[in-house]
Amino acid sequence: MSVTIRSIHTTIDEIHSEGGRPVEPAARVAVVLAVIENPWAGQGFVQDLGPTIDAVAPELGKLLSARVVSALGAPVEAYGKAAIVGLDGEIEHGSGLIHTLKFGDHFRHAAAATTLLPAVEKRAPAGTVFDIPLKHVTDATIRSHHQTVEARVPDAPRADEIIIGLAAAAQGRPHARLAPLASEQ
């Protein structure tokens, strides 16, 4: 089974100033979102999602991880993922596609990451704004890299679609100055 992709959206944010001070180099975040046909749409309740996950998740993981790393144009220091399911689907449909090593390991390898890949998943109508959480790729306790990036596709997800996305940052928050977690333990 191959996934049916309706569109792919790539966003690159660069922050050049924060708090009235320059950010040098500019803080860079890339997001790649694929709007796909929900592979379970119109089938009613499907008990075993496994065969479709096995067929679709690796294809999406490979495609999106290559695109987001390329769009970032720098080594990945923070990362996250998303699944936004259209109103006729189940949250489990999106979760099934992104919460598998068959999907996430493509991004972990591309980012030289070892930590849990944080996620957002929800059911929502087209045009919903959602935040993708990001964490450091090798140490989830590094507070400077705890951040979110806002994403939206104006005409998606349609009722029978899912948005699957990846986000990558080349650094932590601009001018981060929170004490290390170890200082509170």
Side-chain angles (χ1 to χ4, degrees):
M1 169 185 281
S2 181
V3 65
T4 301
I5 298 173
R6 179 167 66 86
S7 60
I8 297 177
H9 303 261
T10 302
T11 304
I12 301 166
D13 287 331
E14 286 187 350
I15 298 172
H16 293 268
S17 176
E18 181 71 26
R21 295 178 178 228
V23 176
E24 296 174 0
R28 191 169 171 91
V29 179
V31 177
V32 176
L33 305 171
V35 179
I36 68 166
E37 177 182 280
N38 183 334
W40 298 282
Q43 297 180 35
F45 185 85
V46 177
Q47 180 63 39
D48 185 4
L49 304 178
T52 302
I53 291 168
D54 290 346
V56 173
E59 183 179 344
L60 284 173
K62 182 177 181 182
L63 171 73
L64 296 177
S65 62
R67 284 185 178 235
V68 75
V69 169
S70 176
L72 186 62
V76 177
E77 286 191 17
Y79 67 162
K81 61 187 173 183
I84 311 303
V85 180
L87 296 178
D88 287 347
E90 299 175 42
I91 293 172
E92 191 71 1
H93 296 162
S95 294
L97 293 174
I98 68 170
H99 290 302
T100 174
L101 297 177
K102 294 173 175 87
F103 176 82
D105 274 355
H106 288 282
F107 199 12
R108 279 185 199 86
H109 294 310
T114 57
T115 58
L116 179 71
L117 180 53
V120 61
E121 59 267 270
K122 66 188 211 177
R123 184 174 34 241
T128 294
V129 175
F130 54 95
D131 292 328
I132 303 174
L134 304 173
K135 301 286 186 201
H136 194 278
V137 295
T138 60
D139 184 348
T141 68
I142 297 177
R143 289 180 172 174
S144 60
H145 288 61
H146 294 197
Q147 55 189 317
T148 59
V149 60
E150 189 174 274
R152 175 181 178 267
V153 179
D155 69 344
R158 294 177 182 163
D160 62 348
E161 293 178 331
I162 304 172
I163 298 172
I164 301 293
L166 294 178
Q171 70 297 308
R173 297 181 313 277
H175 307 311
R177 49 199 180 270
L178 295 177
L181 181 62
S183 69
E184 295 182 26
Q185 295 177 332

